[in-house]
Structures are given as C-alpha cells and as structure tokens.
Amino acid sequence: MGAKEDILNKIQILITNHFSTPEKAFAFFDKDSNGKLSRKEIVNLLKQAEISGFLTGIVATKLIEGYDKDGDELIDWEEFKIAIDEISTT
Ligand SMILES: [Ca+2]
Ligand SMILES: [Ca+2]
C-alpha cells in the first residue's frame, strides 16, 4: 500500500467512524466556519486521523497541492468532495 493510499484510507476511516456524513466532517474541521479548510485545519484533521505527527505538515501540503483546484491554498467543500469521492471509489 502506497503512502498516499494509506493516508487517504485513514482519513476515510476517521470520517466513517466519527461522522454520519462527509459534510459533517468538513464542517467539524472547518473551525472558523469560512467554508474552507486551511492548512492548519487540515493538519488538525490529519492528527485526528492518527497520521504520525511528523508527517502531518508535509501531508497537508501535498493534499492542498493535489486537491486545491482554484489555487487559493484552501480546500473548499467542492474540492474536499473530490478527494472523498476519489477515496471511496478506489
Ligand atoms: Ca476554515
Ligand atoms: Ca481551493
């Protein structure tokens, strides 16, 4: 299992175990409720997903690089949904 799949898998487990819908997970981790996940909010999500502390910074950067389609360095709901869809179909 590749590192990326492993991480996406952990995020998937976190969401399915703790939230009834991905929307609720997104809203929970969007601490300032601006409708977008910042790097800091994503780091918090990764910590909750039990991703090793020393990896969270780099993983957050990679996730933003991979899923931030409009280039604002934030993950909005549409972008988050793409990530979730990718997880659940692989
Ligand atoms: Ca936010
Ligand atoms: Ca974005």
Side-chain angles (χ1 to χ4, degrees), residues 2-74:
K4 189 190 172 194
E5 286 73 20
D6 187 35
I7 285 158
L8 292 177
N9 196 35
K10 282 183 174 171
I11 294 171
Q12 168 84 331
I13 291 166
L14 169 76
I15 292 171
T16 32
N17 286 358
H18 297 279
F19 302 94
S20 51
T21 63
E23 285 91 337
K24 287 192 176 149
F26 185 89
F28 178 82
F29 289 107
D30 181 19
K31 297 294 182 193
D32 59 3
S33 300
N34 67 346
K36 296 175 178 198
L37 297 182
S38 64
R39 192 171 179 282
K40 200 174 137 199
E41 289 166 342
I42 292 169
V43 165
N44 183 45
L45 183 157
L46 295 173
K47 283 182 185 158
Q48 297 296 316
E50 296 180 5
I51 287 157
S52 313
F54 72 96
L55 280 178
T56 53
I58 183 89
V59 170
T61 302
K62 292 275 176 205
L63 287 175
I64 293 168
E65 280 175 5
Y67 295 105
D68 174 28
K69 302 299 178 194
D70 61 3
D72 63 357
E73 296 187 359
L74 299 163

